[in-house]
Amino acid sequence: MKKTLPSSTKVVVIGGGVAGCSVAYHLAKFGWKETILLERDQLTSGTTWHAAGLVGQLGATATITKLRKYSLNLYKELEKKTELSTGLKQNGAITVASSKERLQELLRQATAAKLFNVNVEVLDKQKIKDLYPVINDQDILGGVHMPEDGQADPVGVTNVLAKAAKMEGAQIFEKTPVTKILVKSNKIVGVETSKGKIECEYVVLATGMWSRQIGQEIGVSIPLYPNEHFYIITEPMKDLPKNLPVLRDYNDCLYLKEDAGKMLVGIFEPGAKNAFKDKGIVPADFSFAEFPDDFDHFEPYLEKSFHRLPMLEKVGIRKFFSGPESFTPDTQYLLGETAEVKNLFTCCGFNSIGIASSGGAGRVTAEWIINGYMNEDLFSLDIKRFQKFHSSKKFIMNRVTETLGDLYAMHWPYKQHDTSRNQKLLPYHNELKKIGACFGQLGEYERPMWYALNGLEPEYEYSFNYQNWYPSVEYECKNTIKNVGLFELTPFSKYEVKGENVYEDLQKLCTANIKNEIGKCTYTHMLNKGAGIETDLTVVCLEKNYFRIISSAAVRTHDKNHILKYLSGDTVFKDVTDELICLGIFGPKSRDLLSKISEENFSNQSFKFGTGRNIIINSTNLWVQRLSYVGELGYELYIKKDNARDIYNLIVNVGKDFELSHCGAHTMDIMRMESGFLHWGHDISPEENQYQAGLNFAISFKKDFNFIGKEELKKIKEKKLDKRFVMLVLKDSNPGNPLLLHEEPIYMDNNIVGKTTSGNYSFNFNKNLSFGYIRSDLSNEELNKKNIFIEVEKKKYAAEIISKPLKETNFKNI
C-alpha cells in the first residue's frame, strides 16, 4: 500500500543516508513522533553506500571519541531491537606508528580516551606482530589496539536505523526529492517536494555533499565540498588470516580491512582531488555512481601498502573504486542550527567517517532541536564556528584538497593550514611581516602568532614537546611584564547595538548588571535556558542607548547568532568587526607610551580600570578602553581601518623609547593563563555553568531583569557543585616536557577526577600551567594532601592545585 505524503509535520529530515536515518530515529525516540524523512532516491544512494564501513572509537578529539563510542553501542543495541544485521564485526583495530612523533600522538589520543572508558591498549612491536602476523613491522615503533572496534556494512547500519526510526513512529519516503526549502522571516515554514508541499517547523539537512549548494539556494553558508576518495578491493587471498583487525598506518596514509578473504586498501592522501571540479556542482541525480579510475593518483599509496603488507604485491585487484566524499575546512562535523535561518539544522560534513560518527551525531542533533540548546561542549562541531567566506567555492574547494589528507596527517599542536590563506590582511601586514611575524589564520584574518628573533625564519617546526617559538614568546612575555607589549587584537568579534530598548535587551541577555553609563565596561556572560555559558564577552556603553559588544575571534558567527535571537525588533544590530582595527598596548609602561602620543590624562584617577573614552592621537579620533587580557596595566585602542596604519607606525616609533615589543597570540594565551583568565571554547562552554567555573561574580540576581537562564541558575546555586574549575602547576616544570595542551586526565591517587582544558608553559614564573575541572568535595588544601597527577602520553606527572593565579593584579590601583 502506497503511503500518502502528509501535508504537515513537526520536522522534516532531508537525506536518507546513515546520518539522516540516525537523526530521524533519535527525534522519534525522544518523543517527536511527527518526524518525516525524505530521500530523493533510495536510502544510502548518496555516499553512504560506498563507505568502507570502519567503526572506530578513537578520534583526534575527546568530543569525537565520545560520539563514536555512543555510535558503536547504539548499533549493537539496535541490531537486537530491529532483528536486522548491521554487519558489525568487532574484530578490533590497530593503528601503527613508524615515527616517534606519531607514537606520541597515538599515546595522547589513548590517554584522552580514558576519559570515556574507551578500551585502548598500547602495543609494542611484538604484540603488533602477534595480532597481525602478516604485517611488515621492520620500521614500526609501536601502536595502539582498540579491541572493541571493527567494521560494519554501511547499508546494513542505515537500514537498521531506518527500521528503528519507523518503529518509533517516524515516516520515511524514498523517491521524494525536496525541490525547495520554504523560509519566511528567516524561519523554516515547510518544504516543497516532487509530490507536494509539507508544512513544518524544523528542517534537518542530512544531505551530505549536496548540503553546500542546497544551503546556498536559501542564503545559508554550509562549508563543505566533495573530493574523490579511493580504495581497492583485492582478489581473494588464500593465505590471508581471517578476522584480522582493521589496520591503520597513518604515516603511509593507509587503512586496510580484511573482508571475506579479500583485502580493502583505502587512502587519505595529501593533495586530494576535488570531485566535480569543472562546474563545482554536485549533480542532483548522482546516485550509486562512481568516478573513472585514476590509477596514477592511487599508485604511490598502493606501493606503500606493499611495504606494509608484502603479500598484497602478489594479488590481483578485483575492484578499483573512486567516489565522492565531502570534507570540511577543519575535518570536524557540521552540526547545529544555522545562523541564517531559524530552525534549520545541519547534520553533515563527516569527512568520510560518517558510519563511525552518525549514531552520536544523530543523538546530539535531535537533542539540540528538541531542547533548543545543548549543554555539551560541541562548539568544535557547531556549524556556527565558521563564517560566510568559508563556504565560497574559491575557499572551500582549495581547502578540502588539504583537509582530506589531514585525517591521517599529524594532528600537531598549533598546526596551521597551508591552503586558502591570506583571505584578509591587516593594514600593516607588510610591516609585521618585515619584523618577523609568523602568521596564523584566525577567522578570516592573518594574525601574528609570534615574532622570530635574530633573523630566524618565522615558521613553525611542529612538535609534541619543546616548541621552536618558545624563545620568541619568552622574550615577548617577559618584556610585556617589564616594559610594554603591542598585541594585535583586530580579529576580536565586535558588534554594536543601539535603540530605545537596547539596555533592556542587554539586561535580559546578560548575567551581569550592565552599566548604562557612557564609558563603562562590563564583563559578562550570556546563557542558554539550561544556564550553560553561551558567550563570554565585554559590553561597553559608547553613548546613551548605544553599546559595543566584544568577544573572541573564533565565535563571531556563534555569538552574533545568539544575540540576534533575543534582540527586540526595534534594536539595531551591526557587526563592525571588519571596520575597526584593535591594538592592545599592555604593560607597566603602556600609560607612559600613550601619554607621549596623546594629550589625554591616563592617570589612574582620571582613567580608571574598566572605562573607555574617545581620545585624539595624531589628529585622529579613536576609542580607548582600559582593559587587558594579559593581566597588566593596559589599553585597547579601537581605530577606523583607514587610520590604522598611521597610528600603528606612530606607536611603534614612539614605543622604541619605552622598549616596546611586538607580541603574538601565543604570548597573550600564556599571560591570560598566568592571570587566571578563562577562555570560552576551552575553559568554559555550554557544558559549564558560572558556579562551576568560579565566575559567579558576573551574576547579578539583584537587577530587576529576568535574564535567560536565571531560574535554572538559581537552582544550581542551591545545589552542591558536581565539578569545579581548578588551576594546576606541575611540581617538576620544564618547557615542553611535557607539553600541556588540553583533554588530559587529572588524577587523585589512582582515580580520574577530571580533565584539563588549557595548558601552557609560563615563562614569567617557570611553571607548566594547566586549567581544568575536577569532581571533588575537597578543598584545594585537602586535595594537595593527596597525590594529584596530570597524565600525558600515558605518563603521570605530579601536580599541585594553586588557589590563586600565578600573577595577581590589583587593576584599580595601577
Side-chain angles (χ1 to χ4, degrees):
M1 183 175 168
K2 202 168 185 180
K3 290 187 294 182
T4 303
L5 197 68
S7 60
S8 66
T9 190
K10 184 85 170 173
V11 55
V12 170
V13 179
I14 307 175
V18 65
C21 290
S22 178
V23 174
Y25 163 70
H26 284 96
L27 282 168
K29 182 190 178 188
F30 296 157
W32 281 25
K33 306 301 181 184
E34 288 185 275
T35 294
I36 292 174
L37 185 147
L38 303 176
E39 163 54 41
R40 68 193 168 90
D41 192 353
Q42 294 174 244
L43 297 185
T44 78
S45 63
T47 58
T48 295
W49 71 274
H50 63 67
L54 306 186
V55 182
Q57 299 170 86
L58 191 63
T61 69
T63 301
I64 287 180
T65 297
K66 181 178 170 183
L67 295 184
R68 286 198 197 175
K69 181 183 180 183
Y70 174 89
S71 298
L72 174 63
N73 292 334
L74 175 71
Y75 301 157
K76 290 160 67 175
E77 173 194 325
L78 292 186
E79 267 195 328
K80 296 174 184 175
K81 181 175 181 175
T82 62
E83 298 182 336
L84 294 178
S85 173
T86 62
L88 180 63
K89 187 169 75 167
Q90 288 182 276
N91 50 321
I94 296 171
T95 303
V96 297
S98 55
S99 68
K100 171 179 170 283
E101 295 80 9
R102 180 67 75 179
L103 187 57
Q104 284 185 279
E105 180 184 25
L106 294 179
L107 291 175
R108 282 180 177 264
Q109 291 178 4
T111 303
K114 287 185 176 183
L115 296 167
F116 305 108
N117 294 315
V118 174
N119 186 8
V120 183
E121 301 171 353
V122 177
L123 304 179
D124 60 21
K125 199 167 178 172
Q126 183 57 52
K127 286 182 180 177
I128 291 170
K129 192 72 173 177
D130 292 344
L131 288 166
Y132 212 99
V134 290
I135 196 171
N136 172 13
D137 64 350
Q138 284 185 348
D139 58 342
I140 290 175
L141 303 181
V144 292
H145 177 221
M146 289 67 69
E148 292 163 20
D149 281 7
Q151 52 191 283
D153 170 27
V155 175
V157 171
T158 306
N159 287 334
V160 164
L161 287 164
K163 183 176 180 181
K166 292 176 190 174
M167 290 169 70
E168 294 289 351
Q171 295 185 72
I172 295 177
F173 294 86
E174 297 180 277
K175 301 290 183 181
T176 311
V178 172
T179 55
K180 191 175 184 180
I181 296 171
L182 303 176
V183 178
K184 186 176 181 181
S185 301
N186 297 322
K187 186 177 180 181
I188 289 293
V189 294
V191 298
E192 286 182 2
T193 78
S194 59
K195 297 177 182 177
K197 177 181 172 182
I198 305 174
E199 294 179 355
C200 63
E201 296 177 45
Y202 296 84
V203 166
V204 182
L205 286 179
T207 43
M209 62 180 172
W210 288 271
S211 300
R212 191 192 67 84
Q213 58 207 54
I214 291 171
Q216 193 174 36
E217 290 174 5
I218 53 173
V220 171
S221 175
I222 303 177
L224 54 72
Y225 192 83
N227 289 321
E228 294 188 32
H229 181 53
F230 301 89
Y231 60 74
I232 61 153
I233 300 173
T234 69
E235 296 285 357
M237 303 168 68
K238 67 175 184 177
D239 295 328
L240 187 67
K242 295 205 182 310
N243 292 318
L244 280 173
V246 171
L247 178 65
R248 293 181 180 88
D249 180 354
Y250 291 155
N251 283 36
D252 286 336
C253 312
L254 297 170
Y255 62 90
L256 299 97
K257 180 184 84 165
E258 181 274 325
D259 190 6
K262 301 182 288 293
M263 186 65 77
L264 182 150
V265 180
I267 61 171
F268 287 104
E269 77 281 14
K273 287 181 64 180
N274 283 148
F276 314 108
K277 188 172 182 179
D278 290 345
K279 294 184 179 178
I281 295 172
V282 182
D285 60 352
F286 194 88
S287 295
F288 298 112
E290 302 177 29
F291 297 132
D293 294 353
D294 186 348
F295 195 75
D296 288 343
H297 185 84
F298 187 82
E299 188 176 22
Y301 303 96
L302 186 61
E303 294 285 343
K304 291 175 185 286
S305 74
F306 295 163
H307 167 73
R308 187 58 62 217
L309 203 61
M311 63 190 307
L312 286 172
E313 196 165 4
K314 299 174 183 176
V315 69
I317 296 174
R318 171 171 286 191
K319 171 73 175 174
F320 186 105
F321 177 81
S322 174
E325 290 277 4
S326 59
F327 293 82
T328 64
D330 60 0
T331 69
Q332 307 283 348
Y333 320 156
L334 301 177
L335 307 181
E337 187 178 29
T338 65
E340 300 89 347
V341 175
K342 190 175 182 184
N343 293 350
L344 175 65
F345 284 74
T346 57
C347 186
C348 54
F350 291 106
N351 302 281
S352 201
I353 51 173
I355 305 303
S357 308
S358 288
R363 172 186 68 80
V364 297
T365 300
E367 290 176 349
W368 213 327
I369 294 168
I370 292 169
N371 296 331
Y373 61 88
M374 281 301 290
N375 277 0
E376 288 185 49
D377 182 7
L378 293 175
F379 181 67
S380 63
L381 309 178
D382 189 342
I383 190 171
K384 293 183 290 297
R385 71 189 182 274
F386 291 117
Q387 298 172 29
K388 203 85 173 173
F389 79 93
H390 285 108
S391 64
S392 71
K393 278 187 187 178
K394 182 182 177 184
F395 179 92
I396 192 65
M397 291 180 72
N398 189 20
R399 173 56 62 83
V400 298
T401 63
E402 181 179 6
T403 56
L404 180 148
D406 281 347
L407 282 174
Y408 279 14
M410 291 291 298
H411 296 95
W412 293 114
Y414 317 111
K415 184 178 179 181
Q416 298 293 325
H417 282 108
D418 295 324
T419 52
S420 299
R421 294 295 295 269
N422 296 326
Q423 299 292 307
K424 187 163 286 182
L425 304 181
L426 297 160
Y428 35 84
H429 176 85
N430 288 333
E431 284 88 338
L432 298 180
K433 191 174 180 180
K434 283 177 186 174
I435 59 170
C438 178
F439 293 98
Q441 192 175 54
L442 189 60
E444 207 167 353
Y445 286 90
E446 292 293 328
R447 181 188 189 185
M449 303 301 293
W450 52 281
Y451 292 84
L453 298 174
N454 305 320
L456 296 176
E457 285 298 311
E459 293 180 1
Y460 281 99
E461 295 172 9
Y462 295 119
S463 169
F464 279 109
N465 294 107
Y466 187 92
Q467 303 294 299
N468 74 305
W469 43 264
Y470 273 176
S472 292
V473 171
E474 180 175 9
Y475 166 70
E476 293 170 21
C477 287
K478 290 182 174 179
N479 192 67
T480 299
I481 211 170
K482 181 182 177 184
N483 297 305
V484 60
L486 180 62
F487 290 77
E488 175 47 58
L489 310 177
T490 300
F492 276 8
S493 302
K494 303 177 280 289
Y495 323 108
E496 291 180 0
V497 287
K498 57 184 174 180
E500 289 298 317
N501 300 314
V502 67
Y503 178 65
E504 288 75 13
D505 285 349
L506 288 172
Q507 288 286 48
K508 290 173 184 174
L509 271 162
C510 300
T511 59
N513 187 23
I514 302 303
K515 299 176 183 72
N516 193 18
E517 231 181 292
I518 295 173
K520 294 286 187 177
C521 307
T522 309
Y523 172 70
T524 187
H525 304 105
M526 298 176 183
L527 311 180
N528 59 40
K529 291 177 182 176
I533 303 172
E534 286 286 345
T535 74
D536 176 71
L537 39 76
T538 300
V539 178
V540 185
C541 183
L542 300 177
E543 296 174 15
K544 183 182 179 184
N545 296 328
Y546 185 13
F547 294 82
R548 182 177 293 150
I549 300 170
I550 303 146
S551 63
S552 66
V555 296
R556 183 174 177 181
T557 305
H558 173 275
D559 284 9
K560 183 192 306 186
N561 180 255
H562 184 79
I563 295 164
L564 284 170
K565 196 181 290 186
Y566 296 103
L567 288 183
S568 58
D570 295 333
T571 298
V572 177
F573 176 95
K574 187 179 182 184
D575 184 339
V576 296
T577 302
D578 298 331
E579 295 178 18
L580 295 171
I581 296 298
C582 184
L583 292 169
I585 300 178
F586 303 143
K589 295 181 181 178
S590 57
R591 179 181 284 136
D592 297 335
L593 193 162
L594 284 174
S595 298
K596 192 79 178 279
I597 59 176
S598 171
E599 294 181 1
E600 190 69 33
N601 184 352
F602 291 96
S603 69
N604 191 45
Q605 294 73 24
S606 177
F607 204 142
K608 295 187 180 300
F609 174 76
T611 65
R613 66 183 67 163
N614 285 301
I615 70 167
I616 303 294
I617 294 180
N618 203 27
S619 303
T620 301
N621 188 28
L622 54 95
W623 180 268
V624 175
Q625 54 201 37
R626 189 179 151 194
L627 292 172
S628 166
Y629 194 43
V630 304
E632 287 295 328
L633 171 67
Y635 303 84
E636 296 174 355
L637 281 60
Y638 292 83
I639 313 158
K640 289 182 180 176
K641 190 189 291 185
D642 291 345
N643 302 319
R645 191 163 178 256
D646 289 341
I647 298 291
Y648 162 82
N649 283 320
L650 176 65
I651 291 168
V652 171
N653 288 330
V654 175
K656 292 173 185 175
D657 295 336
F658 300 94
E659 298 182 73
L660 176 141
S661 60
H662 284 75
C663 300
H666 288 307
T667 293
M668 188 162 72
D669 195 47
I670 290 170
M671 294 188 73
R672 67 95 185 169
M673 287 188 68
E674 291 174 342
S675 301
F677 298 153
L678 281 63
H679 181 261
W680 196 94
H682 281 100
D683 311 309
I684 46 177
S685 73
E687 196 163 305
E688 288 79 37
N689 61 63
Q690 290 158 294
Y691 287 100
Q692 292 169 331
L695 296 171
N696 45 307
F697 64 85
I699 304 170
S700 174
F701 288 123
K702 292 179 181 178
K703 67 176 183 177
D704 193 22
F705 292 91
N706 193 28
F707 61 81
I708 297 159
K710 182 177 181 179
E711 294 309 310
E712 193 63 30
L713 205 57
K714 282 182 176 177
K715 295 176 190 173
I716 291 168
K717 183 183 179 184
E718 301 305 317
K719 293 178 183 175
K720 202 171 190 179
L721 283 179
D722 56 347
K723 67 176 186 179
R724 63 184 174 87
F725 175 78
V726 291
M727 297 178 285
L728 307 99
V729 293
L730 297 188
K731 290 183 176 179
D732 184 12
S733 285
N734 295 289
N737 184 28
L739 183 68
L740 293 178
L741 296 168
H742 49 81
E743 295 178 346
E744 297 120 350
I746 302 171
Y747 284 78
M748 182 168 65
D749 294 327
N750 294 317
N751 299 314
I752 294 176
V753 292
K755 68 173 181 177
T756 64
T757 55
S758 288
N760 262 310
Y761 186 80
S762 164
F763 292 101
N764 286 321
F765 297 90
N766 299 318
K767 295 286 185 183
N768 288 97
L769 177 61
S770 192
F771 288 176
Y773 287 85
I774 59 166
R775 303 178 302 275
S776 177
D777 296 333
L778 299 178
S779 68
N780 287 352
E781 291 76 16
E782 290 170 317
L783 280 169
N784 280 328
K785 293 176 182 175
K786 307 282 186 179
N787 294 311
I788 305 296
F789 302 98
I790 297 174
E791 187 176 13
V792 183
E793 296 174 21
K794 304 290 281 187
K795 182 180 176 182
K796 292 177 183 174
Y797 293 85
E800 60 181 320
I801 295 173
I802 55 176
S803 57
K804 59 185 181 180
L806 294 176
K807 182 179 189 303
E808 289 190 287
T809 305
N810 185 347
F811 291 102
K812 293 181 180 179
N813 295 325
I814 58 172

